[in-house]
Amino acid sequence: MEPIITAHALTKRYNGTTALDRVDLTVAPGEWLAIMGPSGSGKTTLLNLIGCLDLPSEGKLLVAGTEVSRLSGKDLTRFRRETVGLVFQQFYLVPYLTALENVMLAQYFHSIADEAEARQALDEVGLGGRLRHLPSQLSGGEQQRVCIARALINEPKLVLADEPTGNLDRANEDLVLGLFKRLHEQGHTVVMVTHDPEVAGLAQRTVHLDHGRLAEAVPTASG
Amino acid sequence: MLLRVVLKSLARRRLRVAVAALAVALGSLLVSSLAVLSLSVAQQARQELRAYGANLLLVPQSVSAPVGLGALGMGTVAEAAELPPATLEQLASSPPTDVIAYAPFVYGLARLGDGSQSADVVVSGTNLAQAQALSPWWQVAGAWPATLPPTGPRQALVGTDISQKLGVAIGQEIALSGPGGQSSWRVSGVLSTGGSEDSQIVMDLAPAQSLLGRQGVDLVQLRAQGRQPALEATARGLEAAIPGSQARVVRQVASAESSVVAKVQGLMALVAMLVLVAASLAVFSTMATTVLERTPEVGLMKALGASPNRIGLMFTLEATAIGAAGGLTGFALGLAVAQAIGKSVFGSYLPASLWALPATIAVALAVALLASLWPIRRAVRIEAARILRGE
Ligand SMILES: Nc1ncnc2c1ncn2[C@@H]1O[C@H](COP(=O)(O)OP(=O)(O)OP(=O)(O)O)[C@@H](O)[C@H]1O
Ligand SMILES: [Mg+2]
């Protein structure tokens, strides 16, 4: 099957510093990939490029068959909202909107807000009873689950997560990881940045970044 | 959905939003009440300044130079030529088109009282109705003289200075003797004008002429429409129509009218500008703070796929809400203020112009949107990439 992500000599420079240095990477559809590496090694940079939030300085990047490294800002935005679901380390929610409205906002930017659908998505992450709560009235784990519901609401081909459990306690981490496991089982492609080898262990494959360079670590069982 | 986001975001920051809206309200309040006032000032001032009496003086050709009314009288007048009685007939039968009001005046000396109590006074004869129309600010304590009193002597007005100095009171009967004879008069009222009339005895033209032994008049004061060039033309026309006469433009009054209005309006425009700048700064700081505070939120929205246009629209809606709220409040307040000022300055309520509401709201919106231009541009340019990085 054609890979969903193909990176070739992907390079990103920030005025002087090379955050990502000629990275080659392919990810198959339905694969769960973990990205590990020390702080400042370029993990977030790589995820931003795959998530079409940023453009590479050099190299080629194909996501779901589209050469995103060639897209302009406007097309990049459109491609991102059609293709990618994002989960961040900090649970970015709009503070004055309820859990339900936060999910609906993603629907709105994608196409049109559909309350019933959003309600169901929150139900699936176990927040059916927290629809009208503001982010400040939710625990960290609950907030992250809202973010996951939001990332999935538009049925993206690709789910990207940057240390989604980095700010969670054990119990909530398990809850959130359980959700990702389910996503993977449902056939979603997941790319997850993590510091935690245990979390990485759940993935089929782990790659290591060091000073912007990629080193494959655990070869995948499934390929 | 976007509207919901905007409303909730405004509601969350309602205090700051209210302050910005209030600034816009005060700004547009001042601008709209100044605009309403400025127009009415132009109108009312023109009306009120029209009351500043004559702007043309018709005098006999030989009289040297009567600079002001106060310089007239005492001796010189008696020797001078006069405007013949025909002048008035001519003015009455075919008045020049531009002349709004006019009044003839004859001046002379008479002796008030007799024996040891007597004093010399200036008697001024005029058409009282015309003089009143020409100089509406003349104030009479008591009554204007009746033209033909049913009983008793004829009536006259005594200038307030004479009334005070010589102790002449309303209702008192006085004796006047002049070149034309002696007669007795009833004081119907005390006249105060702030001008030379305050030290004169003012009466109707015909009895004054007979008291002073005169046929014609010394001068005619005229009030004509228009400014300097038009007045000069009117003056030349008068001279041509009335032989032996000389018409002069009373310059100060004529030019004062336009320059006072222009100065007042200029001052108002300046104040309005400054106030608008202040209001813009308030909106600017509110919007700039908002954008700064909500940078993560905007980055998130962009990461979720919001186009720059959507982000721009969202902040534009917020600015519009501030502007509209400010404009409506400002209009309501402005109306009240303009009415109050109109009442106290001009003694009359000002008509609320139809375009004041749309104009005020347009000003408020313009201020709010212009002041938000830069903050909105900033918001639109926020990079989504920073979000994942946790910056
Ligand atoms: N906007 C930027 N401008 C300049 N340099 C940047 C910018 N963003 C990232 N960098 C640099 O690029 C390198 C990689 O950053 P990146 O955020 O990808 O690291 P990371 O692996 O995600 O680290 P962490 O584990 O701390 O999140 C770092 O040296 C960082 O300082
Ligand atoms: Mg990172």
Side-chain angles (χ1 to χ4, degrees):
Chain A
M1 211 195 290
E2 203 178 311
I4 190 162
I5 301 168
T6 311
H8 181 67
L10 201 60
T11 302
K12 179 70 179 175
R13 275 188 289 271
Y14 294 107
N15 27 289
T17 56
T18 305
L20 221 52
D21 192 5
R22 284 164 286 148
V23 165
D24 292 306
L25 178 72
T26 53
V27 178
E31 193 180 358
W32 182 346
L33 176 77
I35 302 174
M36 292 189 75
S39 186
S41 57
K43 306 183 295 294
T44 299
T45 303
L46 179 57
L47 211 63
N48 277 354
L49 291 180
I50 297 172
C52 304
L53 287 162
D54 217 345
L55 284 169
S57 311
E58 274 163 36
K60 206 166 124 178
L61 176 65
L62 279 109
V63 178
T66 303
E67 189 171 352
V68 294
S69 42
R70 284 207 180 156
L71 292 182
S72 68
K74 211 168 148 190
D75 295 327
L76 205 63
T77 300
R78 188 178 310 132
F79 184 78
R80 171 168 70 243
R81 68 174 174 240
E82 300 296 337
T83 317
V84 188
L86 297 160
V87 179
F88 317 105
Q89 175 174 2
Q90 279 148 15
F91 336 110
Y92 281 111
L93 293 168
V94 180
Y96 48 86
L97 297 180
T98 64
L100 187 64
E101 287 166 340
N102 264 288
V103 175
M104 286 165 68
L105 195 63
Q107 290 179 310
Y108 170 72
F109 288 136
H110 179 265
S111 47
I112 46 160
D114 179 340
E115 189 171 331
E117 211 174 85
R119 203 187 288 268
Q120 198 195 327
L122 282 167
D123 229 11
E124 276 168 23
V125 297
L127 290 176
R130 296 275 194 281
L131 300 177
R132 308 277 171 208
H133 285 56
L134 291 175
S136 56
Q137 297 166 326
L138 296 171
S139 76
E142 288 169 335
Q143 289 183 45
Q144 191 61 303
R145 274 140 71 197
V146 175
C147 292
I148 293 171
R150 181 180 63 193
L152 298 178
I153 192 70
N154 297 318
E155 292 173 4
K157 295 191 181 111
L158 192 56
V159 178
L160 306 180
D162 195 354
E163 298 189 45
T165 58
N167 284 340
L168 296 180
D169 62 15
R170 190 69 213 207
N172 276 303
E173 181 179 333
D174 286 347
L175 246 168
V176 167
L177 286 175
L179 286 173
F180 277 102
K181 234 180 272 175
R182 212 166 78 204
L183 279 180
H184 178 237
E185 282 158 17
Q186 285 165 359
H188 284 92
T189 309
V190 178
V191 177
M192 184 185 285
V193 168
T194 181
H195 273 121
D196 188 342
E198 235 181 282
V199 175
L202 294 168
Q204 292 165 288
R205 185 160 68 115
T206 301
V207 293
H208 280 271
L209 269 177
D210 199 8
H211 290 94
R213 298 225 178 200
L214 197 69
E216 198 101 0
V218 186
T220 54
S222 54
Chain B
M1 190 71 205
L2 198 64
L3 213 59
R4 199 148 143 192
V5 173
V6 167
L7 289 178
K8 286 207 165 189
S9 142
L10 286 172
R12 190 178 63 135
R13 296 169 300 121
R14 53 186 161 271
L15 187 68
R16 204 177 304 144
V17 167
V19 168
L22 200 66
V24 174
L26 291 177
S28 53
L29 173 159
L30 253 147
V31 170
S32 72
S33 49
L34 286 181
V36 169
L37 269 179
S38 159
L39 286 178
S40 338
V41 160
Q43 264 174 22
Q44 299 251 6
R46 220 154 262 152
Q47 270 168 26
E48 304 228 333
L49 284 170
R50 185 169 301 152
Y52 280 128
N55 55 8
L56 281 177
L57 223 49
L58 196 65
V59 294
Q61 215 158 31
S62 55
V63 168
S64 43
V67 181
L69 301 183
L72 288 171
M74 310 299 169
T76 48
V77 171
E79 300 155 16
E82 58 178 26
L83 289 167
T87 307
L88 297 182
E89 282 157 33
Q90 204 165 345
L91 274 176
S93 58
S94 59
T97 44
D98 290 338
V99 172
I100 301 159
Y102 70 91
F105 287 88
V106 64
Y107 300 97
L109 279 179
R111 198 144 187 88
L112 171 67
D114 43 14
S116 58
Q117 295 272 306
S118 67
D120 279 332
V121 292
V122 176
V123 166
S124 156
T126 183
N127 181 319
L128 286 171
Q130 287 177 351
Q132 205 180 349
L134 187 69
S135 315
W137 71 89
W138 282 19
Q139 285 186 340
V140 170
W144 286 83
T147 339
L148 269 178
T151 55
R154 311 196 65 137
Q155 299 182 350
L157 292 172
V158 173
T160 174
D161 290 352
I162 294 188
S163 161
Q164 271 167 21
K165 273 187 208 136
L166 304 179
V168 180
I170 297 170
Q172 194 178 327
E173 199 173 317
I174 53 174
L176 286 171
S177 53
Q182 188 173 10
S183 47
S184 69
W185 298 78
R186 172 92 59 209
V187 177
S188 72
V190 172
L191 175 68
S192 56
T193 68
S196 55
E197 297 84 3
D198 285 356
S199 47
Q200 294 171 358
I201 291 180
V202 179
M203 57 185 64
D204 250 325
L205 187 59
Q209 282 172 328
S210 68
L211 176 69
L212 298 172
R214 299 276 299 274
Q215 306 287 311
V217 296
D218 289 308
L219 56 88
V220 179
Q221 295 184 14
L222 301 103
R223 168 76 202 176
Q225 254 164 359
R227 295 185 183 170
Q228 208 67 38
L231 284 180
E232 292 287 357
T234 308
R236 300 292 83 81
L238 279 168
E239 284 172 351
I242 299 159
S245 77
Q246 194 179 353
R248 294 157 196 258
V249 174
V250 184
R251 285 169 207 282
Q252 305 90 320
V253 175
S255 54
E257 175 184 310
S258 46
S259 76
V260 163
V261 171
K263 272 181 194 154
V264 168
Q265 285 181 332
L267 192 68
M268 284 179 164
L270 186 69
V271 170
M273 287 275 278
L274 292 177
V275 164
L276 283 186
V277 167
S280 304
L281 284 177
V283 174
F284 173 83
S285 89
T286 299
M287 289 304 287
T289 314
T290 294
V291 169
L292 210 65
E293 269 183 3
R294 292 165 70 191
T295 299
E297 188 187 312
V298 172
L300 169 70
M301 289 179 179
K302 284 197 155 180
L304 292 178
S307 60
N309 284 346
R310 282 267 172 88
I311 301 296
L313 180 64
M314 184 173 80
F315 284 102
T316 305
L317 283 175
E318 289 201 11
T320 306
I322 292 176
L328 281 173
T329 316
F331 175 72
L333 290 173
L335 209 57
V337 167
Q339 295 306 335
I341 292 178
K343 181 80 181 143
S344 66
V345 174
F346 299 118
S348 66
Y349 288 110
L350 303 174
S353 21
L354 276 178
W355 54 265
L357 175 63
T360 309
I361 291 189
V363 167
L365 284 180
V367 166
L369 289 176
L370 280 179
S372 304
L373 220 54
W374 187 81
I376 290 176
R377 259 166 61 118
R378 252 193 92 115
V380 166
R381 289 181 181 178
I382 289 172
E383 285 174 41
R386 313 212 148 185
I387 270 294
L388 268 181
R389 204 179 303 277
E391 272 176 22

